[in-house]
Every structure is written in structure tokens, then in C-alpha cells.
Amino acid sequence: MTRTSSTEQTLSRDEIYCRNLAALFRWDARLAQRIDEVENDGTVTVEIGRTGVPTASVRVAGSDRPMQLHSRFDPLEEARRLAESVEIGESFCYIVAGFGLGHHLVAIQARLKGDAFLIVAEPNLQVLAKAMESVDLTELFDSDRCIILTRTDKGDVQTRLEPHNNLMMIGSRFVSHPASERLAGE
């Protein structure tokens, strides 16, 4: 796994954001629009980690300290370890709790085989917006194998997942992004 892609090194934050949003728009226009309309409320902070890779923290109400979503030192190594801990086998659907900046999703997706796909539950649009402007995720979105759920509305979830029901019934696995789970709770 590379430290940063050459694309990320040469693109500005605005260029990364536009590329990501354009890729996301092709398969989920409503979510892309919702992310684009998000006003930065200052709860999510992105900084460059010691290895030159973006890392993020979230300010949580009632807490003195922000919660780190990724390693401050080496977010890509942390993502690689998480991805390697996921048993990739006969399952077609990998349900991931938390988007973070997407490092772990890229690492997991790189290990998937055939028609396998990701479903990511991320209720925090601030986190998604910061990910879109910080990390080049176009490959994640261009593959059309990553569904992002931001709401628990049963009708919306059913509509979004219905085309994938057969693959989900063959086999699904749950993957925990520990920091995202601590942040979102249930």
C-alpha cells in the first residue's frame, strides 16, 4: 500500500473534492448533493499525519478531547491491518460501520473478489464531506461496489439494497471500524 498516491500529492483539496463528488454523483446523486450542501460546522478536523497521509478527529459534544478516527502516525498501516483482519471468503457483502476518511474502505475493497461489495453505514455527513476533500476516493466510487447509507429510514435502506438482496443472502460479513463505532454508538 502506498503512502499517498501521486494524484493526491499533486491535487488541491478542491480538486480532490470535485473528483470525488463527480465519481459519487455517477452512482448516488442524492448523497453527492447532500454532501455538497453540508456546511462545515467545525466538528471534524483533518490534519496530515506523520507519514504524510490525512487523518481526522471529531469533536464530540460533552468531551474535552476530540476523538481520533485514524492513527495520527500511519493511517494507511492502520487501515491495512484492519483490512487484513477481515476474513475474505465466500461472502459477497461486507457491511462496514463507519466511513472515516475512507482509508480502511479502500484497503478492504482492494481485497474483495468477484462481485463482492461494501455497504458502509455513516450517519455523519460532516465526516463524509471531510473525506471527500481530503482523500482521493475515486477508485472506491468508480468501482460501483460501495453503497453508503447515512440514514436508518427503512424505506430508503430497502430501496438502496434491493438490487443486491441475492448476493447479500448468499453471504454477508460485518466489519467494525472501531473509532467510527465509538463515535456513532448504535
Side-chain angles (χ1 to χ4, degrees):
M1 184 177 291
T2 60
R3 292 288 150 217
T4 57
S5 73
S6 59
T7 303
E8 284 179 50
Q9 291 173 353
T10 60
L11 294 177
S12 72
R13 191 170 71 193
D14 288 340
E15 290 170 321
I16 290 172
Y17 181 78
C18 288
R19 283 173 50 100
N20 283 334
L21 226 53
L24 179 60
F25 189 83
R26 285 190 280 279
W27 63 269
D28 194 340
R30 288 185 308 167
L31 179 57
Q33 181 177 356
R34 287 179 54 223
I35 290 171
D36 194 43
E37 292 172 351
V38 166
E39 293 290 329
N40 183 359
D41 67 4
T43 58
V44 181
T45 303
V46 175
E47 6 181 77
I48 300 302
R50 292 184 198 163
T51 57
V53 176
T55 184
S57 61
V58 178
R59 194 170 23 99
V60 181
S63 176
D64 297 348
R65 295 177 44 145
M67 181 181 297
Q68 284 298 128
L69 291 180
H70 304 285
S71 164
R72 286 183 176 153
F73 178 71
D74 195 346
L76 293 182
E77 175 60 23
E78 178 185 60
R80 183 194 62 74
R81 283 193 317 269
L82 176 62
E84 286 181 357
S85 74
V86 177
E87 184 180 327
I88 305 293
E90 301 299 316
S91 297
F92 284 96
C93 176
Y94 294 82
I95 303 165
V96 184
F99 196 94
L101 293 182
H103 300 306
H104 61 293
L105 301 171
V106 171
I108 293 168
Q109 186 184 54
R111 297 188 61 223
L112 297 183
K113 301 170 187 161
D115 292 332
F117 65 99
L118 298 171
I119 296 173
V120 184
E122 179 54 72
N124 191 327
L125 290 178
Q126 294 288 325
V127 169
L128 290 171
K130 287 297 184 177
M132 295 298 144
E133 69 184 35
S134 304
V135 178
D136 185 350
L137 300 166
T138 53
E139 286 184 34
L140 182 68
F141 301 136
D142 283 343
S143 72
D144 195 29
R145 295 188 319 160
C146 180
I147 299 165
I148 303 169
L149 300 175
T150 60
R151 306 177 208 195
T152 56
D153 175 70
K154 290 179 184 178
D156 183 49
V157 170
Q158 183 177 356
T159 301
R160 301 280 311 285
L161 299 182
E162 189 171 13
H164 308 283
N165 282 346
N166 289 340
L167 289 176
M168 290 170 56
M169 288 175 36
I170 293 172
S172 296
R173 286 204 174 281
F174 290 91
V175 179
S176 168
H177 181 240
S180 293
E181 283 194 346
R182 284 192 306 275
L183 178 64
E186 290 184 33

